[in-house]
Amino acid sequence: MLSNHLQNGIETARLVWSRLPNSDDEALDEVGLSKKSDGSRSESLDYEVIENNAYREEQAQRRKLMVGYYVGVKWFFALLIGIGTGLAAVFINISVENFAGWKFQLTFSIIQKSYVAGFLVYILFNLLLVFSSVYIVTQFAPAAAGSGIPEIKGYLNGVDTHGILLFRTLIGKIFGSIGSVGGGLALGKEGPLVHTGACIASLFGQGGSTKYHLSSRWLQVFKSDRDRRDLVTCGCAAGVAAAFRAPVGGVLFALEEVTSWWRSQLMWRVFFTSAVVAVVVRTAMGWCKSGKCGHFGSGGFIIWDISDGQEDYSFEELLPMAIIGVIGGLLGALFNQLTIYITYWRRNYLHKKGSRVKMIEVCLVSLITSVISFGLPLLRKCSPCPEVELNSGIECPRPPGMYGNYVNFYCDKDNEYNDLATIFFNTQDDAIRNLFSAKTIHEYSAQSLLTFLVMFYSLAVLTFGTAVPAGQFVPGIMIGSTYGRLVGMFVVNFYKKLNIEEGTYALLGAASFLGGSMRMTVSLCVIMVEITNNLKLLPLIMLVLLISKAVGDAFNEGLYEEQARLRGIPLLESRPKYQMRKMTAKEACGNKKVVYFPRVVKVADVVSILRSNEHNGFPVIDHTRNGESLVIGLMLRSHLLVLLQSKVDFQHSPLPSDPRGGGKPIRHNFTEFAKPVSSKGISIDDIHLSSDDLEMYIDLAPFLNPSPYVVPEDMSLSKVYNLFRQLGLRHILVVPRASRVIGLITRKDLLIEDNENSETVELQSTSSSTAR
Amino acid sequence: MLSNHLQNGIETARLVWSRLPNSDDEALDEVGLSKKSDGSRSESLDYEVIENNAYREEQAQRRKLMVGYYVGVKWFFALLIGIGTGLAAVFINISVENFAGWKFQLTFSIIQKSYVAGFLVYILFNLLLVFSSVYIVTQFAPAAAGSGIPEIKGYLNGVDTHGILLFRTLIGKIFGSIGSVGGGLALGKEGPLVHTGACIASLFGQGGSTKYHLSSRWLQVFKSDRDRRDLVTCGCAAGVAAAFRAPVGGVLFALEEVTSWWRSQLMWRVFFTSAVVAVVVRTAMGWCKSGKCGHFGSGGFIIWDISDGQEDYSFEELLPMAIIGVIGGLLGALFNQLTIYITYWRRNYLHKKGSRVKMIEVCLVSLITSVISFGLPLLRKCSPCPEVELNSGIECPRPPGMYGNYVNFYCDKDNEYNDLATIFFNTQDDAIRNLFSAKTIHEYSAQSLLTFLVMFYSLAVLTFGTAVPAGQFVPGIMIGSTYGRLVGMFVVNFYKKLNIEEGTYALLGAASFLGGSMRMTVSLCVIMVEITNNLKLLPLIMLVLLISKAVGDAFNEGLYEEQARLRGIPLLESRPKYQMRKMTAKEACGNKKVVYFPRVVKVADVVSILRSNEHNGFPVIDHTRNGESLVIGLMLRSHLLVLLQSKVDFQHSPLPSDPRGGGKPIRHNFTEFAKPVSSKGISIDDIHLSSDDLEMYIDLAPFLNPSPYVVPEDMSLSKVYNLFRQLGLRHILVVPRASRVIGLITRKDLLIEDNENSETVELQSTSSSTAR
């Protein structure tokens, strides 16, 4: 019943884009498009270069030196983003590992005397950390909740969600994820780090935070959405590189999962950013090696190094590995589906009741997590330490306060260990290290692994969508490596002769669950290799990922796509839908009325038109001498608002100031038209005009985009989609078929050498003339 | 003097695109665009979907099952490409290593008695192999010469060079590279393997080779250039994956270096292909482990495994590493520049004299190479074997006939070794393994390394551009690792206390030279990591690559771009040139006349127009009832030729068969319009029409592309360039400004759910109406 109800609700959410004009207020709020909804209004970004006069003037003034400065600043920013994200990651890691380290040290020392007291201290410690996290997020930075990857994906796809790239979001994300991860919730710090990297990049992109007076004039060279998009891409890659210490994986993640447009020049810069992150993190870890950072820095640069594990595999093993892939696909798809339900429920019912409810909810989840992770191992009977392992350098039970396998927890004898505590009552990083570890065959019982799998899976689903910064990578690895190791145990028992490590299967399981849930392939594969330093397993990881992604795709979309949909972020996929082939551009426009502006327009008309609709782009029509009408360009709402606010371009005459439309001195700087990132911009209601102002005119010609992309009315929608998606546009004008062709442009017309000598260029462009 | 002359010649070649209509025949021939030039004529590819009636009919007929079959075949082909390329790579490797193994075994056994006899046998053996290679290439498959990467890059950029993807080229490439690599020339088999992969992919794309009756009807589903492009991309990745046993590197190589358009769906398939290659190669190597393949399979899956080498690095080492980067940039740029000169000279003077000269040239190069590689080590004094190394498992001198460091060659005593012979008188793979090897400090003298560097660099330059299949990866690694190890020697002497391995510096040197010559970053980095299995050096490789690429870029373009330019392959870079910002679309068309067709055209007119010019696209104009003219689409020359050849669509009446232009039954199958890959297609001179035929008419409406992309005449050329390049177009129509706007398409208009229910779709598309 409930499930059915939710399913309907989700269908509603899916279709809501099509029902926007019906103004079903609740649905609108849900997808974040209602005007009344505070802070979650999303708007399309402009990746197209608006070649108006202001832009041309700015381009003409730009000297060689300026171009060099511009390129230099781009690289300098890449460096800064790398350093900033690297330091943020180190800071988060140091904090989390120290909080967690203190917590477990304290608890272990207390349970020597009383398990009840230890239990209470453990719960309180977790509660405190989690509460600090949820408090920061709800009171100070609401956009910092969740992983942030769907929003960043949306941003790079062309949709700006308000608030995601602000300075306060950055601060909330950093401190919030310290609290939530340190507090032992079933979530990770990797997703939030991607968001952190993107925030850092965006802040550099606008030359610092203007609100907190941290901006610098000479760094404000990037005012277009296009430049910011490049920086945010670098930031994403830096985030992944810092989170997993996987620089190549970071580049690929940015390429495969996040960005929608990609240029090879950008790859080169993204790569540099990732390299900087790797150097920063490695240097910091080297510095921490001597114990200056408390519990941090013990693991080495490779997070879960299993390079000494299984080297080879036989054909018989491919079947159990394929089974892992299938399990991963199924569990991953189920995870996505369950999180859809729970997120939908939270957004529509629970979280509407205010931030107090959110706080209580998170504290309850923390309580449940603490009780389960402490309580369940208590119920588990301890096993005796294995004899054979003693030679391999692995101690059993592990020395107190240290990291290692074989935790002695609530055991009767000293030479016993509690296998459930080894994975449950531990930091996630150490639990994964234990699950991946080689030379520890038969450490875990099937019963413990199964218990852990069920409980942790439930906790991960329950935690998903609460109002704290939360990544899904590490929980995914935990879940996957548990069932992977379970399968590995059976394989070890079945093929007795082969040299099989359970840890290898745990790794494959982790890859399969992530593949089944997030549906990434190449980047995930490289990340898995980089975090475990075992290149030889690459083909196996590939195989498992292919299977799990294929199985998952049969049920639903990837986690980030589903979440983006639920959050009302209208992602455009890279491929047009099948039925678009049968539709034309004109059909897609529907019968809605296009609102025109004449070239010279009365201010009062502008104001009334802007008030009367929500369009963001207006075609501008002019009339030639012989009375023919001509579309001379597209005017953006945001640019009109800038003109209305500054008033300097108002004129008394209703005639164009200069009939040739360009000779007029531009009183606007190009940068004035740039919209600050993640902000709502100016609204028409914020502008106050006197009645004299309203009687004046504006000549729009110098400010409009004189050549927006156009398509003929009967072009198939799939071709229009490709144009829109590939070039990252915001508006395409649909026009009637042309009456004549002035020329054809072919490859040869575009082969122009980059010469200083402009005469040669003239010669080239006019003489290369065969239409091919 | 000579250099100056050549420089001028190259400038000529650079500018030749702009001078095409001047019909300077020699220059035209040089860039391969003259009609008279046999076999090297390049033509633009059509990546745009031509939505004519035939296509629409085909789409309408295509059932769900057919779509599924289509997708299934795509994946099946990816599998086949992977298996095919993997097997080709294994075959080449087995052959090369066995030929080389026999050669060295024979030589070593003979020089026990007489060095002169050994010398002669060595020279003859090499000469025989190299001659077989050049004979195959010049007599049978001229397109197989060189690495093939510039041509493949051109193909994926949209330019088809005749002959590069034929079955004979594939055969020539495989056997030719066995001869040239086995014959000990200073070239590699990696570039040719990329070409091999692309050929295999292309053959699958057309369902087998029609010429050799190997085609299969049911596999001929991919008839569009777009589908073939995807397959060739997979083939490229498979080639790299097979050559370096580096699956991730293969994907990235295809992404970064080769393809010009990329979709994330494709990434997923490319990834699968690479994984298949890895599995095939690994399986074959496992099978060969038992000695069934002679000398092959001893190295393991990782080609030059240095995972036991240097693990860490200190800050002091960054300076020498940066120096390696600078050297790599300088030497790489010099290599590119020298090869430009030598290629230009070869193409314009030497190779014009026929294939006999080509054969003599290659044999001479082989002779010189043999003499140097045998003779130089003879002049070198042997060094005594080091004492300390004996414990580390490395034998000195190495056992006869085995692989290893410390070759005893022309030494007086038994416990001596010849360091120059270790690298020079050896297969390239083993030489690189020795250069990369750890725990062999002070093995090489600076003098030997320097001698080798100078001689091998000269040989590599000399060999480049000869008429044999030749890759530049392995020579680049040889050159780079030599000076890298040289720097490493100084570092070891300077920082005595640190744990430094010369082999690590050799690896960095190899990366830096490749970076300085090929200017790749991400893919090269991943390839270097995958071939050496040392993830921990990743940040260092990144650093070195960044520096060497930046230094190299200051001098010239990357090797493949320069070579593509010399071969007349007009690559379009991803970014428009700077001066395009100031030009408009109209200026780019120049004042050339556009040749129109009316909708219904007389056959005689078609023939005379096709004869009178070389245009490949013709706008078609129709007149509405009120006499207004209207551009109804674009007709391709190749499609017109198909119509002329088949004659079934000829009609007697000069009126449109159906005024609505679409009701007419199509007598052409969509696949008939597909041009076979790498062929010249039909020429107008091949078509014979009777005088009756010439008096008839054709209605072009069902066959034209009804909605080619259009741009307004005053759009800036940089925006036009982006449109052309991003969408992979062949023609853009330049039209006058529109007189009115029918509608605006925004993101919301393109958000259509992929539903079965087409009514819902209708509803959605008309109701989502706010212009944003």
Side-chain angles (χ1 to χ4, degrees), chain A residues 18 51 59 157 268 282 313 521 570 579 581 592 615 709 716 719 732 734 742 747 753 767 769 772, chain B residues 18 51 59 157 268 282 313 570 579 581 592 709 716 719 731 734 742 745 747 753 767 769 771:
Chain A
S18 61
E51 293 177 325
Q59 286 288 321
N157 193 281
W268 177 212
R282 191 183 258 274
Y313 54 89
T521 50
Q579 65 261 41
R581 298 184 188 196
K592 65 193 174 194
H615 296 205
Y709 284 99
S716 85
K719 284 176 90 164
I732 292 179
V734 181
I742 290 170
R747 175 171 288 258
E753 277 301 316
S767 62
S769 58
R772 296 178 61 90
Chain B
S18 60
E51 293 176 326
Q59 286 287 324
N157 192 278
W268 176 214
R282 190 183 259 272
Y313 53 89
Q579 65 261 42
R581 298 185 187 196
K592 63 192 175 193
Y709 284 100
S716 86
K719 284 177 91 165
H731 296 98
V734 180
I742 291 171
I745 288 194
R747 175 172 289 260
E753 277 302 314
S767 61
S769 58

Side-chain angles (χ1 to χ4, degrees), chain B residues 286-306:
Chain B
W287 188 77
C288 286
K289 264 280 187 320
S290 46
K292 293 188 190 97
C293 316
H295 293 268
F296 173 71
S298 55
F301 188 73
I302 307 295
I303 306 185
W304 301 297
D305 199 330
I306 59 162

Side-chain angles (χ1 to χ4, degrees), chain A residues 585-586 589-598 618-624 627-634 708-714 732-739, chain B residues 624 626 628-630 710 712 735-745:
Chain A
K586 196 179 176 182
C589 301
N591 46 12
K592 65 193 174 194
K593 212 175 123 260
V594 178
V595 182
Y596 290 101
F597 275 119
F618 303 92
V620 179
I621 301 274
D622 199 11
H623 293 274
T624 56
E628 215 183 326
S629 70
L630 216 58
V631 180
I632 59 165
L634 185 80
Y709 284 99
V710 297
V711 293
E713 52 184 323
D714 53 358
I732 292 179
L733 300 190
V734 181
V735 297
R737 278 185 178 281
S739 60
Chain B
T624 55
N626 45 20
E628 215 184 325
S629 71
L630 217 56
V710 298
V735 297
R737 277 185 178 283
S739 62
R740 62 197 177 94
V741 176
I742 291 171
L744 275 175
I745 288 194

Side-chain angles (χ1 to χ4, degrees), chain B residues 321-339:
Chain B
M321 285 167 182
I323 291 172
I324 288 181
V326 173
I327 299 176
L330 293 174
L331 287 183
L334 181 68
F335 185 83
N336 291 5
Q337 205 60 43
L338 291 175
T339 50

Side-chain angles (χ1 to χ4, degrees), chain A residues 77-91 93 193-194 196-198 200-201 204 231 233-251 269-286 296 301 530, chain B residues 313 315 538-540 542-543 546:
Chain A
F77 275 176
L79 177 75
L80 288 184
I81 292 167
I83 294 176
T85 311
L87 290 180
V90 169
F91 175 69
N93 270 326
L193 255 173
V194 176
T196 303
I200 291 174
F204 282 123
L231 288 173
T233 308
C234 287
C236 277
V240 175
F244 297 106
R245 298 167 211 162
V248 181
V251 174
R269 213 155 75 233
V270 169
F271 185 60
F272 172 71
T273 315
S274 292
V276 170
V277 170
V279 170
V280 168
V281 173
R282 191 183 258 274
T283 310
M285 294 187 73
F296 172 70
F301 188 71
E530 284 191 280
Chain B
Y313 53 89
F315 254 97
L538 193 61
L540 298 181
M542 281 182 165
L543 176 83
L546 282 164

Side-chain angles (χ1 to χ4, degrees), chain B residues 161-321:
Chain B
T161 311
H162 175 61
I164 51 153
L165 293 175
L166 296 181
F167 183 66
R168 63 192 306 162
T169 307
L170 170 65
I171 298 299
K173 205 91 196 182
I174 292 177
F175 288 96
S177 65
I178 291 172
S180 64
V181 178
L185 291 180
L187 43 78
K189 58 185 182 294
E190 282 69 17
L193 255 173
V194 176
H195 192 169
T196 304
C199 284
I200 292 174
S202 170
L203 288 175
F204 282 122
Q206 48 185 325
S209 165
T210 36
K211 192 168 173 190
Y212 299 94
H213 304 291
L214 294 170
S215 70
S216 155
R217 184 93 202 137
W218 63 273
L219 286 178
Q220 292 181 355
V221 287
F222 300 116
K223 283 300 185 184
S224 78
D225 284 340
R226 181 185 277 261
D227 289 322
R228 283 186 192 141
R229 176 187 73 191
D230 290 356
L231 288 174
V232 170
T233 307
C234 287
C236 277
V240 175
F244 297 107
R245 297 167 209 162
V248 180
V251 175
L252 285 174
F253 179 84
L255 164 61
E256 187 185 8
E257 185 64 8
V258 187
T259 63
S260 304
W261 300 284
W262 186 267
R263 295 169 296 119
S264 55
Q265 285 87 3
L266 183 59
M267 191 156 177
W268 176 214
R269 212 153 78 235
V270 168
F271 185 62
F272 173 70
T273 315
S274 292
V276 171
V277 170
V279 171
V280 168
V281 173
R282 190 183 259 272
T283 310
M285 294 188 73
W287 188 77
C288 286
K289 264 280 187 320
S290 46
K292 293 188 190 97
C293 316
H295 293 268
F296 173 71
S298 55
F301 188 73
I302 307 295
I303 306 185
W304 301 297
D305 199 330
I306 59 162
S307 57
D308 54 347
Q310 188 173 348
E311 292 271 296
D312 219 334
Y313 53 89
S314 56
F315 254 97
E316 295 96 319
E317 289 182 73
L318 289 182
L319 180 66
M321 285 167 182

Side-chain angles (χ1 to χ4, degrees), chain A residues 1-52:
Chain A
M1 267 301 286
L2 176 73
S3 152
N4 235 336
H5 175 72
L6 281 171
Q7 183 67 54
N8 288 341
I10 284 147
E11 288 303 320
T12 315
R14 284 195 189 193
L15 293 173
V16 86
W17 273 100
S18 61
R19 288 210 262 107
L20 282 180
N22 306 346
S23 80
D24 173 352
D25 255 349
E26 192 173 286
L28 280 172
D29 206 349
E30 171 56 28
V31 296
L33 267 163
S34 157
K35 249 183 123 176
K36 292 159 207 157
S37 144
D38 57 334
S40 65
R41 183 183 162 84
S42 62
E43 194 177 323
S44 287
L45 295 166
D46 251 315
Y47 289 161
E48 194 183 357
V49 176
I50 310 284
E51 293 177 325
N52 58 20

